[in-house]
Amino acid sequence: MDIVLLSIGKVSSSWIKEGISLFESRIEKYLKFVNKELPDIKNGKSLAIDKIKELEGKILISEFCSSDIVVLLDEKGKEFSSRDFSVWVQKQLSTGKKRLIFVIGGPYGFSEEVYKKADFKISLSKMTFTHEMAKLFFTEQIYRAMTILKGEPYHHD
Amino acid sequence: MDIVLLSIGKVSSSWIKEGISLFESRIEKYLKFVNKELPDIKNGKSLAIDKIKELEGKILISEFCSSDIVVLLDEKGKEFSSRDFSVWVQKQLSTGKKRLIFVIGGPYGFSEEVYKKADFKISLSKMTFTHEMAKLFFTEQIYRAMTILKGEPYHHD
């Protein structure tokens, strides 16, 4: 099973790119990890927030397949400890589905249509981060989950 | 009032250093921010975990003054949304104390003596991060808190 991190908009900060690349390369030792960054909505700044969410929603949904498990990274989602998250990931990996897709929304969140398509909602923190920082934190947590599942010494409870 | 981020051990990753420096320079527009990294315990690898925590605790406590508010960044602490954290920071800034000190512990956590000296415990997330990532995470949240308090457009609820 592959893990996909799906988001709209590219990371522009070079130091965040470097961090994400580091964790990506570490995750690749355990399973296939795809960091898929879709292009921003054109002329987004001239559009109303609900319109942006609707357009982003359509683009995100077009990426989903019936053989995917779709997980939104959402402030209203369930919070896990890193260890509990690793156990949860392992459970998803054993379902026989093809892809475990984690979706990072834009600054205004997800449209209702995206919520309806999602299998799970997970929150990294009650605090809000930038889209770029969320990608960095998330890739570190996926790497951490892999090391926990393998009993490697990266993580301390 | 100054804000101090106190920790043991230096950040070694250049990309994390770059991120922390970026947020530090932004925070400095609002108030004085000191990122104080104390040296690691000598020969720490040869010591038992409780001994490391005890020695780290002594070093941390030697930095505290009676005019400080001491806040531990601790997984057992209270979680805030970014907005609620900003309100909480403002309340501390108005107490007339000299320094608001946030303390990041080592991988094994804090000694009992440090817990006894603390005024508050705050958790950034139920998930565990590296010491270095926690510093990055935290400096972004302090910057975010400042922009929320000033009504600036960085943060979206």
Side-chain angles (χ1 to χ4, degrees):
Chain A
M1 192 175 189
D2 300 345
I3 293 184
V4 178
L5 177 59
L6 183 67
S7 58
I8 292 184
K10 289 196 180 301
V11 168
S12 59
S13 308
S14 61
W15 58 273
I16 293 189
K17 275 188 199 167
E18 191 175 338
I20 292 171
S21 295
L22 172 75
F23 293 116
E24 277 176 355
S25 65
R26 291 185 183 177
I27 295 165
E28 287 281 351
K29 290 174 194 159
Y30 304 94
L31 44 67
K32 191 170 170 204
F33 180 79
V34 179
N35 180 5
K36 186 162 189 181
E37 296 180 324
L38 304 170
D40 277 314
I41 301 293
K42 280 184 190 164
N43 305 316
K45 284 187 180 166
S46 66
L47 298 173
I49 289 175
D50 281 350
K51 188 70 187 170
I52 295 173
K53 281 164 67 170
E54 183 199 325
L55 293 172
E56 286 183 348
K58 282 184 179 163
I59 294 169
L60 291 171
I61 289 167
S62 73
E63 296 286 324
F64 303 160
C65 305
S66 57
S67 55
D68 294 335
I69 298 172
V70 174
V71 188
L72 306 184
L73 298 183
D74 186 87
E75 61 184 18
K76 289 170 268 182
K78 178 175 165 61
E79 281 189 272
F80 287 99
S81 70
S82 296
R83 187 167 289 279
D84 290 345
F85 178 63
S86 74
V87 171
W88 181 89
V89 167
Q90 189 170 45
K91 193 175 160 192
Q92 306 315 313
L93 294 179
S94 67
T95 54
K97 294 266 189 170
K98 284 194 183 156
R99 302 190 302 175
L100 178 57
I101 301 193
F102 294 92
V103 190
I104 295 184
Y108 309 112
F110 298 109
S111 66
E112 277 309 309
E113 287 68 28
V114 175
Y115 281 117
K116 283 179 196 159
K117 292 280 183 188
D119 297 299
F120 299 98
K121 288 184 291 185
I122 284 182
S123 171
L124 298 179
S125 168
K126 281 198 169 52
M127 290 176 160
T128 305
F129 303 100
T130 63
H131 188 262
E132 302 199 344
M133 293 278 274
K135 286 184 199 176
L136 175 61
F137 290 131
F138 181 76
T139 51
E140 199 264 347
Q141 286 303 312
I142 289 287
Y143 169 62
R144 184 176 292 269
M146 295 299 124
T147 67
I148 293 171
L149 294 175
K150 295 287 179 187
E152 291 167 0
Y154 181 74
H155 176 77
H156 300 274
D157 279 312
Chain B
M1 192 175 190
D2 299 346
I3 293 184
V4 178
L5 176 59
L6 184 67
S7 58
I8 292 184
K10 287 195 182 301
V11 168
S12 58
S13 309
S14 61
W15 58 273
I16 293 189
K17 274 187 201 168
E18 191 176 337
I20 293 171
S21 295
L22 171 75
F23 293 116
E24 277 177 354
S25 65
R26 290 186 184 177
I27 295 164
E28 286 281 352
K29 290 175 194 160
Y30 303 94
L31 43 68
K32 191 170 171 202
F33 180 79
V34 180
N35 180 5
K36 187 161 188 181
E37 295 180 325
L38 304 170
D40 276 315
I41 301 293
K42 279 182 189 164
N43 305 317
K45 284 185 180 168
S46 66
L47 299 173
I49 288 175
D50 280 351
K51 189 68 189 171
I52 295 174
K53 281 164 67 169
E54 183 198 324
L55 292 172
E56 286 183 348
K58 281 184 180 162
I59 295 169
L60 291 171
I61 289 168
S62 72
E63 295 286 324
F64 303 160
C65 305
S66 58
S67 55
D68 293 336
I69 299 172
V70 175
V71 187
L72 306 184
L73 298 183
D74 186 87
E75 59 186 18
K76 288 171 268 181
K78 179 176 165 63
E79 281 190 89
F80 286 99
S81 69
S82 295
R83 186 166 291 278
D84 290 347
F85 178 62
S86 74
V87 171
W88 182 87
V89 167
Q90 189 169 45
K91 193 175 161 192
Q92 307 314 314
L93 295 179
S94 66
T95 54
K97 294 268 189 168
K98 284 194 183 156
R99 302 189 304 174
L100 178 58
I101 301 193
F102 294 92
V103 191
I104 295 184
Y108 309 111
F110 298 108
S111 67
E112 278 309 309
E113 287 67 29
V114 175
Y115 281 117
K116 282 179 197 158
K117 291 281 183 187
D119 298 297
F120 299 97
K121 287 185 290 185
I122 284 182
S123 170
L124 298 179
S125 169
K126 282 198 168 50
M127 290 178 160
T128 305
F129 301 101
T130 62
H131 188 263
E132 301 199 345
M133 292 278 276
K135 285 184 199 176
L136 175 59
F137 201 132
F138 181 76
T139 51
E140 199 262 349
Q141 287 302 312
I142 289 287
Y143 169 63
R144 185 175 290 270
M146 295 299 124
T147 67
I148 292 171
L149 294 175
K150 295 286 179 187
E152 291 167 359
Y154 181 74
H155 177 77
H156 301 275
D157 279 311

